[in-house]
Amino acid sequence: MIPLSDGIRLAVGTLTTVPVPAPRAIDRRVAGVAMTLGPLAALPLAAVAGLIVAGGVAIGLPALAVAALALGAVALGSRGLHLDGLADTADGLGASYDRAKALDVMRRGDSGPTGVATLLFVLLVQTGALTGAIAHGHGIAAAVLSVLCGRCVLSLCCARGVPSARPEGLGATVAGSVPVLVAAAVFVLAAGCAALTPGLPWWRGVLAVALGYAAAAVLLARCVQRIGGVTGDVLGGCVEVAVAAALLATA
């Protein structure tokens, strides 16, 4: 029996601040379901981002301010988890070519200059791109699409064959937990739904998903090469670069 309810609870409880009961059990099947259903768990975040864009535009706020407020709300709604992961991943990759030292830096949790610079750069790209989308009249579509695309790539990062960098932690629980065919199906479904996004040409929605996946895949490949696999921080980093790439495609 597929642990659907536990997977949903794990996805919502991990990826958002929405209060849900704890899963009755957490194993690889539950983890696989959770990573596959990441986009569904993020629907409230996408809805909030879209509503903020709609409201900000309606009352005449500057596009830059609206974009910052929407992205800030998404960060708060996910406890800043993915942004923290991005910074820690950047610090680890920039610390040393020694795998053990890089993992130790990532485990500490404090942000060094590389992490801070990377975080600022990615946030600037996200905010600037969403500002452009708002200015061109499709900010709601861009905000919703990018948030969901960023969570879709979790199934890619946790597909069978992707190892864990550590024997413990979130990465060890979810690494390799999603069947390859399921991860591929998530991509196809995401691209198909993006093609139907109101306010965007079909090809731009597909391009946003494709670029989001490409950005996450590049970071994932680098982390597998350098530190031996994924960690919870790497997953967060992949989410944020996917959001940035998807927003650029819609800008």
Side-chain angles (χ1 to χ4, degrees):
M1 180 178 179
I2 298 176
L4 185 60
S5 61
D6 283 339
I8 293 174
R9 292 176 182 179
L10 180 60
V12 174
T14 302
L15 301 177
T16 76
T17 57
V18 177
V20 292
R24 291 164 297 183
I26 299 178
D27 54 25
R28 292 184 63 78
R29 291 195 308 158
V30 172
V33 172
M35 295 300 98
T36 301
L37 298 181
L40 292 180
L43 278 174
L45 301 181
V48 167
L51 288 172
I52 289 175
V53 172
V57 170
I59 64 176
L61 289 179
L64 178 60
V66 175
L69 288 171
L71 292 170
V74 173
L76 287 174
S78 58
R79 305 184 189 88
L81 182 69
H82 308 309
L83 293 173
D84 177 68
L86 173 66
D88 287 344
T89 299
D91 277 332
L93 293 177
S96 172
Y97 281 99
D98 180 76
R99 174 177 176 271
K101 183 175 180 180
L103 286 171
D104 181 61
V105 169
M106 292 170 67
R107 185 183 288 110
R108 293 175 193 170
D110 53 343
S111 295
T114 304
V116 171
T118 301
L119 192 60
L120 288 174
F121 175 74
V122 172
L123 285 174
L124 282 172
V125 171
Q126 290 180 358
T127 306
L130 183 53
T131 300
I134 293 171
H136 284 85
H138 52 262
I140 297 174
V144 172
L145 177 58
S146 63
V147 170
L148 296 181
C149 177
R151 279 66 184 174
C152 284
V153 303
L154 289 171
S155 57
L156 166 71
C157 298
C158 299
R160 297 273 166 82
V162 179
S164 173
R166 299 191 186 102
E168 76 287 336
L170 177 62
T173 302
V174 301
S177 63
V178 180
V180 173
L181 288 179
V182 173
V186 171
F187 170 74
V188 172
L189 184 60
C193 291
L196 302 176
T197 303
L200 289 177
W202 71 267
W203 60 267
R204 190 178 291 274
V206 174
L207 179 63
V209 172
L211 287 182
Y213 265 77
V218 169
L219 178 57
L220 176 65
R222 183 60 172 164
C223 290
V224 170
Q225 178 190 32
R226 281 287 308 279
I227 62 174
V230 296
T231 66
D233 288 331
V234 171
L235 296 180
C238 287
V239 167
E240 292 298 338
V241 298
V243 170
L247 283 172
L248 282 175
T250 62

